[in-house]
Amino acid sequence: GDSVTQMEGPVTLSEEAFLTINCTYTATGYPSLFWYVQYPGEGLQLLLKATKADDKGSNKGFEATYRKETTSFHLEKGSVQVSDSAVYFCALRGKTGNQFYFGTGTSLTVIP
Amino acid sequence: DAGVTQSPTHLIKTRGQQVTLRCSPKSGHDTVSWYQQALGQGPQFIFQYYEEEERQRGNFPDRFSGHQFPNYSSELNVNALLLGDSALYLCASSPYGLAGGTDTQYFGPGTRLTVL
């Protein structure tokens, strides 16, 4: 079945450091891929998405590229800020249904 | 434009009781999905409602049931509560259901259910 595997945390970085959170997926066909962010005490917010191979999603300095050959959708940011501290979830929606599959989340803490 | 709203924010129940959680979708959205997020885990899909019918269901027992109203709002009901039902329950809405256009779901803040 469809599934998502993402890098386990927690991750602690200093402000302005480079961030990578790895995400790989298993799916039939070509799913749509997403990164969601969850700030403390809040629901999930869509960060970025990509709907086909080689698409790059980007938002707020974050980027992720849909790599079909490696079935990956790694999240990157060149210079993190304290306000980026949150839990990040990789997710996919298969082409044969409306169900979203989420990874277990990666907690990021950015220290000044 | 109000986003997805959920009520109540927090709820405490005891084993064996029944609970009802409520969700109002984002304006213009007619499809509602429910997720269970256990502590430290990613959300797990419970089911999705569109046109007042359950359209898709995840791997959850029949104790979990739902309803969608003509105004697109939705309820999640859980009967015979177990300790393991303690979780954050998230509602997500999207523009429409079965035509493959629900690429993006918008989430509410969730209802924190504690079962004692």
Side-chain angles (χ1 to χ4, degrees):
Chain A
D2 294 354
S3 66
V4 171
T5 302
Q6 68 179 99
M7 175 176 130
E8 293 201 10
V11 174
T12 302
L13 294 173
S14 297
E15 205 164 24
E16 299 184 1
F18 183 84
L19 168 71
T20 299
I21 301 177
N22 291 336
C23 171
T24 57
Y25 68 89
T26 301
T28 304
Y30 304 103
S32 296
L33 301 173
F34 304 81
W35 278 99
Y36 279 85
V37 58
Q38 188 173 35
Y39 297 101
E42 299 184 14
L44 278 71
Q45 299 176 24
L46 177 66
L47 182 59
L48 53 85
K49 69 176 185 179
T51 58
K52 61 182 188 295
D54 299 326
D55 267 2
K56 177 185 282 188
S58 61
N59 186 27
K60 298 181 181 179
F62 291 89
E63 292 184 340
T65 301
Y66 189 139
R67 302 284 188 199
K68 184 170 73 71
E69 62 277 13
T70 55
T71 62
S72 65
F73 192 55
H74 305 321
L75 182 68
E76 297 182 336
K77 186 175 186 181
S79 176
V80 294
Q81 305 300 311
V82 172
S83 58
D84 294 327
S85 298
V87 180
Y88 292 81
F89 292 92
C90 185
L92 72 80
R93 183 181 79 82
K95 289 304 185 185
T96 58
N98 296 315
Q99 180 174 346
F100 275 58
Y101 297 86
F102 285 85
T104 54
T106 301
S107 175
L108 170 67
T109 300
V110 180
I111 54 177
Chain B
D1 174 27
V4 180
T5 60
Q6 293 185 242
S7 63
T9 305
H10 296 87
L11 206 49
I12 298 175
K13 293 287 188 178
T14 57
R15 279 178 298 174
Q17 285 189 312
Q18 179 264 344
V19 69
T20 298
L21 311 181
R22 295 177 176 82
C23 170
S24 291
K26 184 178 168 64
S27 178
H29 289 185
D30 56 8
T31 301
V32 173
S33 300
W34 287 93
Y35 292 81
Q36 180 194 66
Q37 185 180 13
L39 196 62
Q41 300 297 314
Q44 298 291 316
F45 177 76
I46 301 174
F47 44 53
Q48 183 180 80
Y49 275 83
Y50 171 63
E51 291 188 331
E52 301 180 48
E53 290 188 18
E54 183 183 297
R55 298 293 181 163
Q56 195 167 358
R57 189 179 184 92
N59 189 26
F60 279 80
D62 292 345
R63 297 187 298 110
F64 289 77
S65 63
H67 188 77
Q68 186 179 36
F69 299 93
N71 67 353
Y72 309 128
S73 66
S74 177
E75 289 182 349
L76 164 66
N77 301 293
V78 187
N79 294 322
L81 284 167
L82 304 174
L83 295 179
D85 295 332
S86 295
L88 180 68
Y89 288 85
L90 296 167
C91 169
S93 74
S94 49
Y96 69 99
L98 299 179
T102 56
D103 262 356
T104 301
Q105 293 189 342
Y106 294 82
F107 284 82
T111 294
R112 173 72 62 188
L113 173 64
T114 301
V115 182
L116 302 177

